[in-house]
Amino acid sequence: MMAGGDDLAALHEQVALASSAAISASDLDLAFQLQVAEAIQASLRLPNAAASSSSSLAAPVLPVPEPSSDAAYAFAVQAADLARAEQDRRDAEACRAAHARAAASARIAAHDALFARDLAAIPEEQWAHDGDYFERPVDSSPRPLFRVFSKGMPSRDVVGPRDRDPSIAVLAVAVCRTQGGVVLRIQKPVERFVGGRMIVEVMALMEGLDAALGLGIRSVTVVTGYRPLYNHMLGIWRPSGKKLADMMNQVLSVRRKFDQCEVSLVEPNQVSYVVKLATDSLTVQIAKALVANVSKEKRESCAICLEDTDITKIHVVEGCTHRFCFSCMKEHVKVKLLNGTLPACPQEGCTTKLSVEGSRVFLSPRLLEIMVQRMREGQIPPSQKIYCPYPKCSALMSLGEVIHPMQESSSRYTAADAATLRKCVKCRGSFCLSCKVPWHDGMSCYEYKMRYPHARPEDAKLQNLARQRLWRQCVKCKHMIELAEGCYHMICVCGYEFCYTCGKEWKNKKASCSCPLWDERNIIREEDDDDYEEDDDGLYY
């Protein structure tokens, strides 16, 4: 085991030496440029100055002919210097080429060593069945589009020496785009935690990789500021205990599910965001644990319904610590989700957003699923949203995430397809970005729309139903909107404001049309006999 670690360390050292040698070669090239410049300057000097300066130079490589004058002698010395400089330049080029070959060999050797370690970890029964199909070419693919930051933090890292340790931990994860922007964040408590820092760091990493896979991401860079985790991921260190070894094997197994999964070690200040997520969550969890230990039978009045509720049924909002009962929190989140907005803290004036993990304690699985979808939709601008047109997929993507088949080396498509041809990141199905349908091979977008005015039968039915029910379609995000009750001033989920009667835009909270603002039939709602059924979450269908 130690020998494998020493080999990898030696390979890393060899790569570093190759890099320094390349820098030395560039220094030689600079020296050549300086020598040429000096020779040109010397040719412009007076004959006497040229003669006096040439006497101080080293003996040239080529023989100097018998000078007939001082000027001829100076030019002969310059020619010898130029020849020597040209030879130095050729030597420098040869040195750079040799070091480039050495660096490439070192990279391939490091890749082979890591691949050999992964092969050695494969169980015998899996090797017997799939051993002939394992391969890992030297990676030349582009950099991953997403980064996974993770941080595990036990309570003993923040509890004072005289305070009681509640023996809990938190897992914080942030999935971000490489260009910036958080796609998903997770703050998950671990109750009755037993273990060291390495254990909780691996748990957080596993949570982050699972979350990325759940979002359909297949190319990531794992970013960590904890060197032991980095060394274990690269195989430089071996797990010391059975529990840690099992967890690392599980992490490596999940890592192999990605098309590309790199590991990067950075300075602590570059992971400050996920560290703050862990610290904030741990502070809330410790406060909850301390309150629960003081009095498990204590009751608290909810600030919304003013009912005395068992303290175990009181939710503490992460980030602001405002407290409300489970029932009021569930009703608040449900109303916000059904209105198409992301729920925030119910406290007036508070803008703290609720997280999925924090809301899991009082929300049903169905509402959690809706909340995850709303968060995903809210993170993508309306003009950037793309849905996969295949009914069995329907994955939500942004314009920056869709795959451009023309960039693939084995592409069979023509240059004319480049403008609108894309692939789904989940099902890998080809579709037209303009027509929003599966790829119409052999037809331009104009020909396809002329032949099929309604690409899908459902589209024609929807448009017909919208005309009958007087629905409106948002001109910005294309959502179909129905007025259930209230005034004719509509605010779409994308933020666009318009008049429901004529469709004209509202600007600065003022109508740009002369349509009536409301109808009494939509303001005063009477009980009707519509036969709707209500499920356990209060959702009608």
Side-chain angles (χ1 to χ4, degrees), residues 159-298:
V159 172
R162 296 185 178 181
D163 297 330
R164 180 179 178 183
D165 185 2
S167 298
I168 58 176
V170 294
L171 311 178
V173 172
V175 180
C176 307
R177 293 184 180 88
T178 304
Q179 298 83 359
V182 179
V183 176
L184 176 68
R185 71 171 191 177
I186 298 174
Q187 293 168 289
K188 182 177 181 180
V190 181
E191 298 181 355
R192 294 184 292 276
F193 173 74
V194 178
R197 180 180 176 184
M198 185 64 195
I199 295 292
V200 73
E201 291 280 2
V202 175
M203 293 173 65
L205 176 58
M206 176 63 72
E207 192 75 18
L209 294 179
D210 287 338
L213 289 174
L215 293 174
I217 297 173
R218 292 296 181 273
S219 178
V220 299
T221 297
V222 174
V223 182
T224 180
Y226 190 46
R227 180 172 289 276
L229 179 62
Y230 174 81
N231 290 341
H232 277 91
M233 287 292 293
L234 295 185
I236 300 175
W237 291 1
R238 292 292 184 179
S240 57
K242 184 179 185 303
K243 182 178 181 180
L244 180 58
D246 292 341
M247 294 177 67
M248 286 304 305
N249 288 335
Q250 188 177 1
V251 169
L252 295 176
S253 176
V254 174
R255 181 184 181 186
R256 285 191 284 268
K257 295 180 181 179
F258 291 87
D259 297 336
Q260 186 179 11
C261 183
E262 301 178 357
V263 184
S264 176
L265 179 66
V266 299
E267 295 297 326
N269 60 351
Q270 298 185 40
V271 292
S272 58
Y273 175 77
V274 73
V275 172
K276 186 178 185 303
L277 290 180
T279 304
D280 292 345
S281 179
L282 188 57
T283 302
V284 173
Q285 296 303 320
I286 292 176
K288 287 182 179 180
L290 295 178
V291 170
N293 290 334
V294 170
S295 175
K296 294 184 179 180
E297 300 298 327
K298 186 177 179 181

Side-chain angles (χ1 to χ4, degrees), residues 247-454:
M247 294 177 67
M248 286 304 305
N249 288 335
Q250 188 177 1
V251 169
L252 295 176
S253 176
V254 174
R255 181 184 181 186
R256 285 191 284 268
K257 295 180 181 179
F258 291 87
D259 297 336
Q260 186 179 11
C261 183
E262 301 178 357
V263 184
S264 176
L265 179 66
V266 299
E267 295 297 326
N269 60 351
Q270 298 185 40
V271 292
S272 58
Y273 175 77
V274 73
V275 172
K276 186 178 185 303
L277 290 180
T279 304
D280 292 345
S281 179
L282 188 57
T283 302
V284 173
Q285 296 303 320
I286 292 176
K288 287 182 179 180
L290 295 178
V291 170
N293 290 334
V294 170
S295 175
K296 294 184 179 180
E297 300 298 327
K298 186 177 179 181
R299 301 180 69 83
E300 183 174 338
S301 177
C302 174
I304 297 178
C305 64
L306 303 180
E307 292 287 339
D308 288 334
T309 307
D310 191 306
I311 199 170
T312 60
K313 300 297 182 182
I314 293 292
H315 177 69
V316 181
V317 180
E318 296 180 3
C320 63
T321 66
H322 291 132
R323 306 164 68 86
F324 308 96
C325 70
F326 285 2
S327 178
C328 291
M329 286 298 300
K330 178 180 178 181
E331 190 66 22
H332 169 74
V333 172
K334 181 182 73 175
V335 170
K336 292 296 183 181
L337 292 178
L338 294 183
N339 286 338
T341 58
L342 291 175
C345 174
Q347 183 71 26
E348 184 178 0
C350 184
T351 59
T352 302
K353 295 294 184 181
L354 301 182
S355 65
V356 174
E357 289 300 325
S359 305
R360 194 180 299 275
V361 68
F362 59 83
L363 288 184
S364 65
R366 184 179 180 188
L367 286 175
L368 280 172
E369 183 179 354
I370 297 175
M371 187 174 181
V372 171
Q373 181 66 15
R374 289 285 185 269
M375 293 183 69
R376 172 68 172 152
E377 292 174 352
Q379 291 160 354
I380 302 177
S383 60
Q384 298 288 315
K385 289 181 182 177
I386 298 293
Y387 289 90
C388 177
Y390 292 90
K392 293 184 178 180
C393 179
S394 300
L396 172 62
M397 303 163 282
S398 68
L399 287 176
E401 295 174 2
V402 294
I403 301 173
H404 200 310
M406 304 303 296
Q407 297 175 350
E408 299 177 354
S409 59
S410 60
S411 175
R412 60 181 179 85
Y413 301 103
T414 63
D417 300 330
T420 59
L421 174 62
R422 298 294 185 271
K423 277 190 176 183
C424 174
V425 298
K426 184 176 180 181
C427 69
R428 301 287 174 153
S430 301
F431 65 94
C432 177
L433 190 62
S434 175
C435 304
K436 304 295 191 297
V437 297
W439 179 243
H440 42 73
D441 197 10
M443 283 191 293
S444 66
C445 293
Y446 175 79
E447 294 171 343
Y448 182 86
K449 291 177 180 178
M450 291 295 295
R451 182 176 297 183
Y452 306 103
H454 297 290

Side-chain angles (χ1 to χ4, degrees), residues 31-43 45 50 53-65 73-90:
F32 165 69
Q33 297 295 336
L34 293 175
Q35 287 179 343
V36 172
E38 290 177 357
I40 294 174
Q41 291 293 331
S43 65
R45 297 173 185 169
S53 63
S54 63
S55 62
S56 62
L57 296 176
V61 176
L62 298 178
V64 180
Y73 180 77
F75 283 121
V77 171
Q78 292 168 10
D81 288 342
L82 286 175
R84 184 171 58 237
E86 176 64 20
Q87 182 63 37
D88 290 342
R89 185 187 65 80
R90 287 195 295 265

